[in-house]
Amino acid sequence: MEALSTRSEVVDGLGPADYARLAALLNGIVGIKLPPSKRLMLEGRLRGRMRQLGFTSHSAYCDHVFNQGGQQEELPHLIDAVTTNKTDFFREVEHYRFLHDTIVAELLRLRSRERHPEIKFWSVASSTGAELWSAAMVLDQLAADTGQFDYALLGTDISTRVLEHAVRAVYAADLVQPVPKAMREKYLLVPLKAGHHPTVRIVPELRQRASFARLNLMDENYAVDDDQDVCFLRNVLIYFEKSDQEAVVRKVLGRMRKGGFLVLGHSEAPVGSGMGLRQVAPAVFVKET
Ligand SMILES: C[S@@+](CC[C@H](N)C(=O)[O-])C[C@H]1O[C@@H](n2cnc3c(N)ncnc32)[C@H](O)[C@@H]1O
């Protein structure tokens, strides 16, 4: 008979005091709001990491975090636990339509003196890359159709785990259903031998246009080129305090060209008001100054 598993189970919950110190630490570093109502969420999300390290108690794990060297070791895991990485290909699809129908043409008009301008696209909180690759498909298709421009892609996020996924660019086949059929055929590689969980991979032609880097939006300065043309800053501001939301928008604008397009998530759109922005479509703004 096989030996029974000896894996220890977690014996306590995340108490309010331990939650408060973790929430203060994470809010200070990542900017994410962690009200008391999120305690159970964090408790559940920490379990995997605790098991990995052999901790059976949340309070012992918290002591470990706050012991010397513990923060440095645990911070990436805590950030993974506290961030919500939900994303989709062609999420809020009208933004991709607007990119295709309006944004690129307008950018080319502004830069009509340049022989073959390079359009820079930045997915500011890229998560696993679905947003960046969706834009890549639109830009690549337009670049091929018009022959008028080149493009470069940048994805940034605070979580190294999602960035690794974005670089690998391998996705479960059912996740790419929103990708239009012609684009699926052109930009997704299907393995010759499909396993139990079929996957696809973004083609090398798009992968070589993209770079990904870790960036904490709470940082004072963003180490990003200051001539970005199109910035998708979607579905991340909602996690921050109002004052941090505005500061982040200003810092992103600081990395953009005049005349560039800032695209927010639909629920975040009011954030852009009073910042030298002109709204041109739902949640889409032009940087005017
Ligand atoms: C819900 S996802 C949004 C992904 C994508 N923009 C979209 O709309 O589909 C939010 C992303 O923001 C990232 N994030 C949260 N706080 C951040 C911070 N302080 N700096 C950079 N990225 C952060 C998370 O890691 C997560 O991947």
Side-chain angles (χ1 to χ4, degrees), residues 224-243:
V224 167
D225 290 347
D226 62 3
D227 55 355
Q228 304 297 322
D229 294 292
V230 188
C231 295
F232 274 34
L233 173 60
R234 305 187 312 160
N235 305 305
V236 62
L237 295 173
I238 35 165
Y239 299 107
F240 302 150
E241 311 283 351
K242 181 94 180 129
S243 57

Side-chain angles (χ1 to χ4, degrees), residues 40-231:
L40 288 181
M41 182 251 344
L42 190 60
E43 179 184 304
R45 288 188 182 180
L46 287 178
R47 287 222 166 97
R49 176 62 184 161
M50 286 170 51
R51 283 209 192 94
Q52 213 179 11
L53 295 178
F55 282 101
T56 54
S57 138
H58 280 89
S59 66
Y61 174 72
C62 283
D63 288 343
H64 166 68
V65 169
F66 289 97
N67 274 343
Q68 207 159 24
Q71 277 187 38
Q72 207 181 343
E73 186 188 317
E74 286 309 298
L75 208 50
H77 301 282
L78 288 167
I79 287 172
D80 285 343
V82 86
T83 49
T84 298
N85 309 117
K86 186 190 157 28
T87 188
D88 280 309
F89 283 86
F90 288 90
R91 180 183 196 182
E92 300 183 35
V93 68
E94 48 298 353
H95 289 157
Y96 296 95
R97 277 197 208 108
F98 199 72
L99 176 65
H100 180 274
D101 296 347
T102 307
I103 293 180
V104 170
E106 182 56 21
L107 291 172
L108 292 180
R109 194 186 61 75
L110 282 176
R111 292 170 68 183
S112 55
R113 286 171 177 214
E114 292 175 48
R115 211 171 55 82
H116 203 71
E118 182 182 65
I119 291 182
K120 288 193 177 177
F121 174 89
W122 179 17
S123 170
V124 180
S126 66
S127 188
T128 54
E131 179 176 86
L132 179 142
W133 299 126
S134 303
M137 293 179 204
V138 171
L139 290 172
D140 192 80
Q141 190 64 61
L142 271 176
D145 290 349
T146 64
Q148 283 179 19
F149 69 98
D150 221 333
Y151 68 95
L153 311 156
L154 170 67
T156 57
D157 201 284
I158 195 170
S159 161
T160 41
R161 182 176 50 82
V162 295
L163 289 170
E164 281 161 15
H165 189 164
V167 170
R168 232 174 19 253
V170 174
Y171 301 93
D174 54 356
L175 284 184
V176 297
Q177 288 312 313
V179 179
K181 187 164 178 288
M183 287 183 169
R184 285 210 294 269
E185 286 165 2
K186 186 167 178 190
Y187 297 117
L188 300 175
L189 295 172
V190 181
L192 288 177
K193 245 176 82 185
H196 283 307
H197 302 290
T199 56
V200 296
R201 190 171 195 201
I202 304 295
V203 293
E205 293 77 4
L206 296 189
R207 294 204 312 269
Q208 69 202 17
R209 303 287 190 134
S211 55
F212 289 93
R214 185 176 181 277
L215 173 72
N216 182 354
L217 294 172
M218 295 300 122
D219 286 351
E220 201 67 41
N221 297 302
Y222 296 173
V224 167
D225 290 347
D226 62 3
D227 55 355
Q228 304 297 322
D229 294 292
V230 188
C231 295

